[in-house]
Amino acid sequence: MSNKLQPVRGTHDILPGEEFQQFHTVITRARELATLYGFQEMSVPIFEATEVFARSMGETSDVVSKEMFTFQTRGEDDITLRPEFTAGIARAFISNGMQQHLPLKLFSTGPLFRYERPQKGRQRQFHQVNFEWLGDGSVEADVETIMLASHLLHSLSDKVKCKLLINTLGDPQSRAHYREALVNYLTPYARDLSEDSQRRLVINPLRILDSKSEQDQRIIADAPKITDSLSEEEKSRFDSVCSVLDSKDKKIPIFYEVIRTPALVRGLDYYTGTVFEFVSESGDLGTQNTVLAGGRYDGLIEQMGGKSTPAIGFAAGVERLKLMMEGNWSYAPDLKIFILNVDEAVSTSALLTFASALRWMLKAELDEVRSKTVASVEILRQKNFKKGLDKANQQKATHVLIFAPDELEKGQVLLKDMTGPQYNLDARFIQYDNTWAQFLQLLQIKA
Ligand code: ATP
Ligand code: MG
């Protein structure tokens, strides 16, 4: 064993700078859209009693049967690190008596844990932004949820290419019908199926439909479709959802091609009715190209011991969204200001007083205009003027204030805009006073 400490397999540090900025941008956009669509943020524990996940997601699902991080505490409680949000939120909904506040729209974000084979876009600790809408079983809720998902992807970049796959799983009865039809069809081919799918044929035959094996896919191509097992009511409900999403007049902003996909089953037992996935065609995601996935789960709350409550939700993987965005990022530049002190004659107290005044002023001004702009102010000590500017430039400064005793006496400071191509030109003296008016104007915070 190497004596250098390494992160545990499948875990990653999110390093400061661009990497964290991207991570943060995904979560910030999701949070803004959550507010826009009337979702409230809530947080649930990172671990729960194992049965919270095992019972809800289904014992035979991939997640429960092989991907959970489960352990016993010193008190011998059986605990699992959360592999998803939905089950924990359903548990919280019941244990906090949130029934009386329905309908509820809930947003959450944070780390999740699955014991998987690590690959690009597949980690053992990853992050999601998660949306759940409880207490509304309408077609409108399905469409609005998908609009929100689509809006989220589009808000990250209008350049990424995605497809929206959509299907319906019907109610448990239709699903049982379908399961039977599928098993009847597949049984004669049992020996030709992949090893995984032979096992699934007994314990979870629907799961065979999203097998990645080519051999399995050939067999599945002619399998009966779930649509044939749906009641008329379910069919027409699903048609309503699809026809609004797909409407040619494009009044509803779904930015991506909508593809009805009868083989889309999703991996978990609790799904009922509409299910969907956004599959990215941008970035280098390989088979990890599902960036966002969700569906309706009308039976879950009741099954977990609450009152029957219709619900729909989705989650997007933050790391996958980051991969999808590769090369397509556009950030509003934050203000990054350095106060460059090139003269030892400047007293520490003058420098700190100036920095402090600048920070308090900027904070108040930005709050007042409710600007999303983030400003930072740092002191840079460097005797050599040119080196000082280079250093600020390396750190992606937007502005440098050059601080020297002579100017200081005149109430002046030299400002350099570092955002142009030739940052060492066009410096100008600005007068600073109690109003900072000229300064704010130059930073484009105030007219
Ligand atoms: P996959 O088929 O890729 O395993 P899944 O169906 O298991 O996905 P969900 O449980 O629906 O995934 O989770 C929703 C989203 O969370 C996925 O679309 C993906 O973006 C992300 N995600 C799931 N598992 C991981 C993981 N191990 N690492 C990174 N992101 C993940
Ligand atoms: Mg998975």
Side-chain angles (χ1 to χ4, degrees):
M1 195 168 138
S2 131
N3 52 11
K4 244 200 208 159
L5 286 177
Q6 295 292 329
V8 172
R9 191 164 134 81
T11 69
H12 287 279
D13 302 308
I14 303 165
L15 298 175
E18 200 157 286
E19 195 178 342
F20 198 89
Q21 189 175 11
Q22 293 176 353
F23 180 81
H24 182 71
T25 300
V26 171
I27 293 169
T28 307
R29 293 282 155 76
R31 189 173 272 134
E32 288 164 4
L33 284 177
T35 306
L36 185 63
Y37 283 77
F39 284 65
Q40 291 174 283
E41 186 159 356
M42 80 174 276
S43 172
V44 287
I46 284 185
F47 50 78
E48 296 269 357
T50 296
E51 62 175 340
V52 168
F53 304 112
R55 274 208 276 158
S56 60
M57 301 171 83
E59 301 277 357
T60 60
S61 66
D62 282 354
V63 174
V64 175
S65 63
K66 47 187 193 202
E67 294 173 3
M68 295 207 304
F69 278 92
T70 297
F71 59 97
Q72 279 209 333
T73 63
R74 286 168 200 270
E76 298 191 348
D77 296 320
D78 196 1
I79 297 294
T80 293
L81 299 184
R82 64 184 182 199
E84 63 145 28
F85 277 107
T86 309
I89 286 169
R91 194 274 308 138
F93 172 80
I94 298 165
S95 37
N96 293 291
M98 290 162 82
Q99 186 78 34
Q100 51 182 321
H101 303 298
L102 286 175
L104 277 168
K105 297 181 192 174
L106 303 169
F107 168 73
S108 303
T109 181
L112 302 143
F113 307 85
R114 294 185 193 178
Y115 195 79
E116 304 201 65
R117 194 165 68 77
Q119 312 160 52
K120 194 169 195 180
R122 191 175 296 285
Q123 297 163 214
R124 289 183 177 174
Q125 177 177 335
F126 63 101
H127 299 78
Q128 283 181 345
V129 288
N130 184 82
F131 298 78
E132 312 288 356
W133 186 347
L134 299 148
D136 190 332
S138 67
V139 168
E140 287 82 354
D142 289 29
V143 175
E144 269 207 277
T145 302
I146 293 169
M147 276 164 62
L148 165 57
S150 170
H151 199 162
L152 172 61
L153 299 183
H154 191 263
S155 78
L156 288 170
S157 167
D158 54 9
K159 291 191 201 79
V160 298
K161 291 204 178 73
C162 271
K163 283 186 300 201
L164 163 58
L165 312 184
I166 183 166
N167 191 23
T168 182
L169 299 178
D171 63 18
Q173 230 177 334
S174 319
R175 202 129 49 117
H177 260 137
Y178 179 57
R179 187 189 153 115
E180 205 180 304
L182 190 63
V183 171
N184 287 341
Y185 168 82
L186 287 172
T187 304
Y189 301 103
R191 284 220 225 120
D192 303 324
L193 289 168
S194 68
E195 218 170 283
D196 260 352
S197 289
Q198 292 189 20
R199 199 170 42 85
R200 293 183 184 125
L201 186 56
V202 185
I203 58 170
N204 197 349
L206 259 62
R207 213 41 197 147
I208 298 175
L209 295 179
D210 60 17
S211 159
K212 304 230 152 76
S213 138
E214 272 178 35
Q215 170 82 352
D216 289 354
Q217 281 304 331
R218 270 196 296 274
I219 297 172
I220 297 158
D222 294 324
K225 305 277 180 273
I226 188 138
T227 20
D228 305 329
S229 301
L230 297 176
S231 67
E232 284 311 311
E233 198 189 332
E234 285 168 333
K235 268 189 216 164
S236 88
R237 187 185 189 284
F238 186 55
D239 281 339
S240 313
V241 173
C242 292
S243 68
V244 191
L245 290 175
D246 221 358
S247 68
K248 292 286 174 280
D249 59 14
K250 289 282 169 225
K251 286 210 180 101
I252 304 262
I254 301 294
F255 306 97
Y256 311 102
E257 189 190 353
V258 183
I259 303 174
R260 289 196 192 200
T261 310
L264 181 73
V265 287
R266 309 286 301 118
L268 309 172
D269 281 2
Y270 57 62
Y271 284 113
T272 51
T274 308
V275 289
F276 57 95
E277 285 186 1
F278 283 79
V279 179
S280 165
E281 295 167 321
S282 297
D284 177 19
L285 277 150
T287 47
Q288 275 68 250
N289 58 357
T290 301
V291 289
L292 183 157
R296 185 160 276 292
Y297 54 94
D298 290 344
L300 177 65
I301 304 280
E302 187 173 19
Q303 183 206 321
M304 289 179 76
K307 272 197 194 144
S308 169
T309 307
I312 182 165
F314 69 85
V318 177
E319 287 82 0
R320 288 200 195 172
L321 291 175
K322 267 181 71 195
L323 286 170
M324 170 188 89
M325 288 290 293
E326 259 168 17
N328 286 314
W329 288 101
S330 59
Y331 315 102
D334 295 334
L335 289 174
K336 195 164 170 63
I337 303 167
F338 283 96
I339 303 165
L340 176 58
N341 180 21
V342 287
D343 196 322
E344 277 171 87
V346 173
S347 78
T348 306
S349 120
L351 196 59
L352 292 176
T353 309
F354 180 79
S356 160
L358 182 54
R359 287 191 186 116
W360 281 79
M361 180 279 295
L362 279 174
K363 174 83 177 74
E365 290 294 338
L366 292 174
D367 283 353
E368 193 185 317
V369 295
R370 292 179 188 277
S371 161
K372 289 250 184 53
T373 310
V374 179
S376 70
V377 176
E378 289 169 86
I379 295 172
L380 191 61
R381 285 186 192 79
Q382 176 62 254
K383 270 184 232 150
N384 183 304
F385 180 70
K386 173 82 174 59
K387 271 194 193 154
L389 285 186
D390 282 348
K391 213 169 190 177
N393 194 45
Q394 268 165 24
Q395 299 201 42
K396 306 208 166 77
T398 57
H399 297 84
V400 174
L401 290 166
I402 295 111
F403 214 71
D406 292 351
E407 277 79 51
L408 206 54
E409 257 169 44
K410 288 183 258 165
Q412 282 187 337
V413 53
L414 192 63
L415 174 74
K416 273 182 188 289
D417 185 339
M418 305 289 283
T419 53
Q422 281 197 308
Y423 65 82
N424 53 349
L425 299 175
D426 82 344
R428 54 192 294 184
F429 285 105
I430 57 158
Q431 202 70 33
Y432 73 90
D433 52 26
N434 289 338
T435 68
W436 299 84
Q438 190 192 5
F439 186 65
L440 288 170
Q441 216 174 2
L442 286 168
L443 296 187
Q444 297 179 345
I445 294 174
K446 260 190 171 170

